[in-house]
Amino acid sequence: MNNIEELLSIAENKQKSGNYEEAVELYLTAAKKLEESRNLERCSLIYAKAGFLLESIQQNSEALKYFLKTVTILQGLKREDESVALYLSHLGFNYFIAEKFEKAAESYLQSAKIFEKSKLYRNAVESYWRAGFSYKQNAEYRKAESCYKKSLKTSEESGDKYQQAIVLGLLGILYGDAMKRHEEAAFQYLRSGEIFRDLGEMNEARDKYLWAFQSYLIAGKTEEAEKLMTSINKIFPENNQHYI
């Protein structure tokens, strides 16, 4: 065990001094020794350390490998808590970078459910919408819509207005860009813009109102578009010279 402690100490020093690849090698050596000695829980944490470090230096395919080891070990130990949810969310991120969107979505959904059980609602909301975004990238639009709606419901129930605005904007993009439901897209953008405006996030609010305006035009709803632009120019007078 002393040999393992020494390896970990050297690895941490290497990491602090910026020698990341050497640190990773030492962490992995220590993790394998812990795995051989059946100290599985600690082994999983060291694999996760390697994963975080590899992710930070954008070696995502390697990071994916060690987050997967971490999650597999902890799930085998019947662990289901916020730390497992965190590792699952990072697993999802690295699957996404690898363009394995189905697996990314599955990892994010597992993460979201654990976060929700742990009452970490903001984390759950984010994992649900990241699952939706992964499905969207995979052209699985119905699944994406379902995840976004679950994310929205969770944000509403937890009172997280900022996340509500984000998810409504994502729904707008899904409906407009992917599903060609432009009038529905406009409605979601308007809801997003109104919440951002209430929160004082005026740049975000302006963008969402303008996206709603464009969506109405594409949908052929000229009258609604004109009314909305009149409102936009009252709220954001600096836009007058650009949009009228």
Side-chain angles (χ1 to χ4, degrees):
M1 186 59 72
N2 287 339
N3 184 33
I4 292 172
E5 299 305 328
E6 185 178 350
L7 281 170
L8 292 173
S9 177
I10 297 170
E12 287 169 3
N13 287 332
K14 292 285 187 184
Q15 183 174 345
K16 288 175 184 174
S17 64
N19 296 315
Y20 298 135
E21 292 187 0
E22 291 180 51
V24 166
E25 288 302 317
L26 290 163
Y27 282 135
L28 294 179
T29 300
K32 287 169 187 174
K33 287 180 178 291
L34 287 163
E35 194 167 11
E36 288 166 3
S37 67
R38 305 304 296 167
N39 190 342
L40 295 180
E41 188 154 350
R42 194 170 184 210
C43 162
S44 71
L45 299 179
I46 305 307
Y47 277 133
K49 272 182 174 280
F52 283 123
L53 191 47
L54 286 161
E55 187 180 284
S56 74
I57 58 176
Q58 299 182 329
Q59 292 189 22
N60 297 95
S61 61
E62 289 297 298
L64 190 160
K65 184 191 305 182
Y66 296 111
F67 280 123
L68 183 57
K69 278 183 171 287
T70 296
V71 167
T72 301
I73 291 169
L74 291 175
Q75 288 179 334
L77 295 172
K78 309 299 183 187
R79 281 273 304 277
E80 191 175 275
D81 54 41
E82 56 264 34
S83 62
V84 179
L86 175 66
Y87 302 141
L88 279 163
S89 68
H90 280 271
L91 181 60
F93 171 77
N94 287 289
Y95 273 134
F96 188 91
I97 295 298
E99 298 186 357
K100 297 180 178 180
F101 300 121
E102 185 86 24
K103 286 188 174 293
E106 289 169 1
S107 298
Y108 281 131
L109 282 174
Q110 289 181 63
S111 170
K113 288 170 185 174
I114 298 172
F115 278 135
E116 199 165 18
K117 285 181 184 176
S118 302
K119 301 190 186 321
L120 295 170
Y121 296 116
R122 172 161 282 210
N123 300 81
V125 166
E126 185 170 335
S127 286
Y128 276 128
W129 70 248
R130 287 188 182 278
F133 191 73
S134 300
Y135 279 131
K136 176 180 176 291
Q137 294 301 104
N138 211 37
E140 296 183 80
Y141 302 136
R142 292 294 182 187
K143 288 183 178 181
E145 182 182 23
S146 176
C147 289
Y148 285 155
K149 286 185 173 180
K150 180 62 176 172
S151 182
L152 181 60
K153 182 181 177 184
T154 305
S155 67
E156 288 172 342
E157 289 174 349
S158 64
D160 192 331
K161 295 289 188 182
Y162 188 81
Q163 287 289 336
Q164 284 178 47
I166 288 174
V167 179
L168 287 164
L170 290 170
L171 268 172
I173 293 169
L174 176 68
Y175 289 150
D177 292 355
M179 302 176 83
K180 308 307 177 188
R181 291 155 54 180
H182 297 291
E183 191 170 358
E184 289 179 76
F187 178 65
Q188 304 303 335
Y189 288 139
L190 282 175
R191 292 175 69 196
S192 177
E194 287 163 8
I195 295 173
F196 275 129
R197 185 181 171 195
D198 288 343
L199 293 173
E201 299 282 349
M202 301 308 283
N203 288 336
E204 289 282 0
R206 182 181 60 238
D207 287 347
K208 299 305 180 292
Y209 286 138
L210 290 172
W211 295 356
F213 166 75
Q214 291 162 358
S215 296
Y216 276 137
L217 286 180
I218 295 169
K221 298 291 180 177
T222 308
E223 185 176 343
E224 287 86 344
E226 289 175 352
K227 287 179 181 177
L228 179 56
M229 183 51 66
T230 299
S231 297
I232 291 171
N233 287 330
K234 287 179 181 176
I235 301 166
F236 308 101
E238 68 274 16
N239 286 328
N240 291 3
Q241 61 181 326
H242 300 293
Y243 297 105
I244 286 188

